[in-house]
Amino acid sequence: MIGHAPNKLTCQCRAHLSFGCGPNMRFLPKLERKFRRWKKLKKPPLLRKLDALFKSAHKGHRPEDSAKRVQRENGKDIKNELSYKSREQFMYNGSFHEAVGSVLLTAQCFALMPVRGVTAKHPSSLRFSWRYVRTCCCLLFMVSMLINLSFTIYKVLHGSITFNSIRPLIFKSCIFLVCGKALSLARQWPDLMMKWYQIEQDLPQYQTQFEKRRMAQTIRMVMLVGMMLSFAEHLLSIVSAINYAAFCNRTDDPIQNFFELTNDEIFYVLNYSAPLALWGKLQNVYSTFIWNYMDILVMIVSIGLASKFRQLNDNLLKFKGLHMAAAYWSERRIQYRNICTLCSTMDDAISFITIISFSNNLYFICVQLLRSLNTMPSVAHTVYFYFSLFFLIGRTLAVSLYAASVHDESRRPLRYLRCVPKESWCPEAMRFAEEITSDMVALSGMKFFNLTRKLVLSVAGTIVTYELVLIQFHEDQDLWTCDQSTYS
């Protein structure tokens, strides 16, 4: 009895302290587990990771496994971040600076537009400096072109001056002038793109990636098609020159015959040498690219300006015929005026290149049409001649139509203003319509002529008139003899 008393007392004490014994105590382990889980959740994430690492070590797992797991998780995070960055690289923001980046980068390979940062996402990265390597290359090419031009002038002045003989002089003079203007344009380009970007941000924003990349794809398509056709024309000229050099074998070396034929202005003054021949050929390749690029530059600027007007017109189309407040028309009128100001600024920057492009194309179309009246020396030369002629006409037509699209898009808001309900017609809408009607928004050739659709007919009429005058003084002569000083 005495020996069992302490146990009974202990049980009573435990019952007093623990609110009972036996089956009534079953809920305590559940409370204990919940309390431990709550304490675990209350710990910081770093302490929870250390506890998990400590338990895994006690269970027989190596610490390296946890380290590898953490490293693997970090690797996944880095991979996801890289995939997001790579995906972001293919996203377009719809800006003109982004759209022309690859075009300007291609031009820099041929000593044009020496601006740094053309492929950056934001135009604030654009820089121009006279100390950049690309600027020095541009200046070096201009010096080289000036030397070549002086050889051409010397050759023309010491021969008979005809409508056909001055063709190389006009070609190289245009190339030199375009290079000088492109260098001047490169100095203004960072400020022009910043102004363009600020105006773009104020316009109604694109909603889809298709709308954002539409302008960039059009510009790259024009650049690609223009350069591929130019490359094809140059290859055909090489084939034709090889065929012609084989016929006019002035020396026993066919390579020397080819270079003397294609660089005759150099070897008219200097004796033949391989370095001079390579220099002349490189000069010819660069000049051919620049000759085509001046038309492409006018086209891509026209595409960019027309797309900004179209961006505004698409927003007007969404609310066509609806009752809109006066504040809406005031905002759209200000945006329209900003685009018109941008158009005038860009016209001042490229109008010299525009007038050179049109006058150069007009002259060469007349020359080619006049030369087409003579017999061709070979099939290769016939293919090259007519391919070059149709490519020149097509390029001139493309420049005219793309440039005219700026004027067409600037007039389009009138269609939507005519659909404004009578109750919504307000002074702001009336002022908007008057500005569109009275202003002449178009690119120009140094203000001598405006690039509209009417210009296409005017150019065609001018070509026909000049050609009829030239035919009257034309004599059927053999322009493809070896004694001729010029080659086409």
Side-chain angles (χ1 to χ4, degrees):
M1 293 292 295
I2 298 173
H4 294 287
N7 294 334
K8 186 176 181 181
L9 181 62
T10 306
C11 182
Q12 291 175 356
C13 292
R14 286 177 181 173
H16 178 71
L17 295 172
S18 303
F19 306 101
C21 297
N24 297 326
M25 298 291 293
R26 293 176 182 174
F27 70 94
L28 288 177
K30 294 181 180 179
L31 287 175
E32 186 178 2
R33 284 197 300 271
K34 289 182 179 179
F35 179 73
R36 287 178 181 174
R37 194 178 299 115
W38 178 75
K39 284 186 67 178
K40 188 185 294 184
L41 292 174
K42 193 177 179 182
K43 289 182 179 180
L46 182 60
L47 291 177
R48 288 204 300 270
K49 287 184 179 180
L50 290 175
D51 288 343
L53 186 64
F54 180 75
K55 287 180 180 180
S56 64
H58 274 281
K59 288 180 182 178
H61 297 291
R62 293 179 297 177
E64 292 83 356
D65 295 339
S66 299
K68 288 181 180 178
R69 192 183 307 113
V70 173
Q71 187 177 3
R72 190 164 56 249
E73 291 175 357
N74 292 337
K76 288 181 180 179
D77 294 339
I78 293 172
K79 186 177 179 181
N80 292 334
E81 185 178 355
L82 288 175
S83 64
Y84 174 76
K85 287 183 178 179
S86 61
R87 185 168 62 250
E88 194 179 32
Q89 290 175 355
F90 293 96
M91 304 291 283
Y92 290 86
N93 57 22
S95 67
F96 179 74
H97 163 72
E98 181 188 45
V100 299
S102 58
V103 177
L104 296 180
L105 189 64
T106 306
Q108 289 178 3
C109 298
F110 293 88
L112 285 178
M113 298 300 291
V115 184
R116 181 175 291 183
V118 293
T119 57
K121 283 288 184 182
H122 198 274
S124 60
S125 304
L126 291 171
R127 295 288 185 275
F128 174 85
S129 175
W130 293 104
R131 294 174 292 179
Y132 289 160
V133 175
R134 61 196 77 186
T135 309
C136 296
C137 291
C138 181
L139 293 172
L140 182 64
F141 175 76
M142 289 185 65
V143 172
S144 174
M145 193 69 214
L146 186 61
I147 296 172
N148 200 330
L149 178 61
S150 63
F151 289 156
T152 305
I153 294 173
Y154 180 83
K155 180 171 178 282
V156 169
L157 293 178
H158 284 74
S160 58
I161 300 177
T162 62
F163 188 74
N164 183 68
S165 64
I166 62 172
R167 186 168 45 87
L169 177 61
I170 291 178
F171 175 76
K172 290 173 184 177
S173 299
C174 290
I175 299 301
F176 181 76
L177 292 174
V178 168
C179 287
K181 184 58 183 177
L183 185 61
S184 174
L185 181 61
R187 297 177 60 191
Q188 307 172 39
W189 196 257
D191 295 334
L192 290 173
M193 289 300 100
M194 277 303 300
K195 183 176 181 179
W196 193 313
Y197 186 79
Q198 291 168 1
I199 292 174
E200 283 176 329
Q201 298 307 302
D202 187 51
L203 293 175
Q205 295 302 303
Y206 293 121
Q207 300 299 321
T208 63
Q209 274 295 305
F210 173 77
E211 294 175 334
K212 292 180 179 179
R213 68 170 179 261
R214 183 170 54 187
M215 176 176 60
Q217 288 179 341
T218 305
I219 288 175
R220 289 171 185 172
M221 181 270 295
V222 169
M223 179 70 180
L224 180 63
V225 172
M227 288 299 101
M228 291 297 292
L229 291 174
S230 175
F231 181 70
E233 181 195 24
H234 193 68
L235 285 181
L236 287 174
S237 71
I238 292 175
V239 172
S240 176
I242 291 173
N243 192 356
Y244 202 65
F247 176 73
C248 299
N249 48 354
R250 301 174 183 176
T251 64
D252 296 333
D253 188 359
I255 298 177
Q256 181 176 345
N257 291 334
F258 171 77
F259 283 118
E260 284 186 351
L261 184 67
T262 54
N263 303 307
D264 54 348
E265 72 280 351
I266 298 175
F267 302 119
Y268 185 84
V269 180
L270 305 174
N271 294 326
Y272 176 83
S273 65
L276 284 176
L278 292 176
W279 169 65
K281 186 58 185 174
L282 187 64
Q283 194 86 11
N284 182 257
V285 172
Y286 272 61
S287 300
T288 303
F289 173 84
I290 295 170
W291 187 52
N292 290 278
Y293 186 81
M294 65 180 175
D295 291 338
I296 292 175
L297 180 63
V298 176
M299 283 192 280
I300 63 175
V301 171
S302 302
I303 292 170
L305 291 172
S307 68
K308 296 302 108 179
F309 280 113
R310 194 177 298 115
Q311 186 175 347
L312 179 63
N313 293 334
D314 290 343
N315 182 264
L316 293 173
L317 179 61
K318 291 179 182 178
F319 302 99
K320 179 182 178 181
L322 300 180
H323 295 276
M324 304 303 295
Y328 173 81
W329 296 113
S330 176
E331 183 181 3
R332 295 297 170 264
R333 185 187 63 80
I334 293 172
Q335 291 169 349
Y336 179 84
R337 179 50 47 199
N338 289 337
I339 303 175
C340 292
T341 305
L342 176 65
C343 183
S344 177
T345 304
M346 293 304 299
D347 180 50
D348 293 338
I350 69 165
S351 61
F352 184 74
I353 296 178
T354 303
I355 195 170
I356 289 179
S357 170
F358 271 86
S359 58
N360 184 70
N361 290 340
L362 184 64
Y363 170 77
F364 277 97
I365 288 174
C366 291
V367 169
Q368 293 290 76
L369 288 174
L370 186 65
R371 290 164 70 87
S372 65
L373 301 176
N374 298 288
T375 56
M376 303 293 168
S378 65
V379 176
H381 199 93
T382 304
V383 173
Y384 158 65
F385 179 83
Y386 283 105
F387 181 87
S388 175
L389 175 61
F390 288 121
F391 173 51
L392 182 60
I393 294 173
R395 199 177 67 200
T396 307
L397 185 63
V399 174
S400 302
L401 293 178
Y402 274 118
S405 66
V406 178
H407 176 69
D408 295 341
E409 291 293 334
S410 70
R411 304 282 297 179
R412 223 174 87 190
L414 275 176
R415 302 179 189 176
Y416 311 125
L417 285 167
R418 292 191 180 108
C419 299
V420 175
K422 182 179 179 181
E423 297 79 10
S424 299
W425 189 254
C426 59
E428 283 296 332
M430 185 184 302
R431 187 179 176 187
F432 191 9
E434 288 177 355
E435 286 187 7
I436 297 171
T437 307
S438 59
D439 290 355
M440 181 62 185
V441 182
L443 295 177
S444 68
M446 295 190 72
K447 311 301 180 184
F448 288 110
F449 56 88
N450 294 317
L451 301 179
T452 62
R453 288 186 178 271
K454 295 179 181 179
L455 181 69
V456 179
L457 295 176
S458 300
V459 170
T462 303
I463 291 173
V464 172
T465 303
Y466 285 169
E467 202 63 28
L468 290 174
V469 173
L470 292 171
I471 288 174
Q472 293 179 3
F473 298 98
H474 173 69
E475 296 179 2
D476 191 9
Q477 53 183 328
D478 191 1
L479 297 176
W480 317 110
T481 60
C482 298
D483 296 332
Q484 289 292 325
S485 60
T486 57
Y487 169 76
S488 175

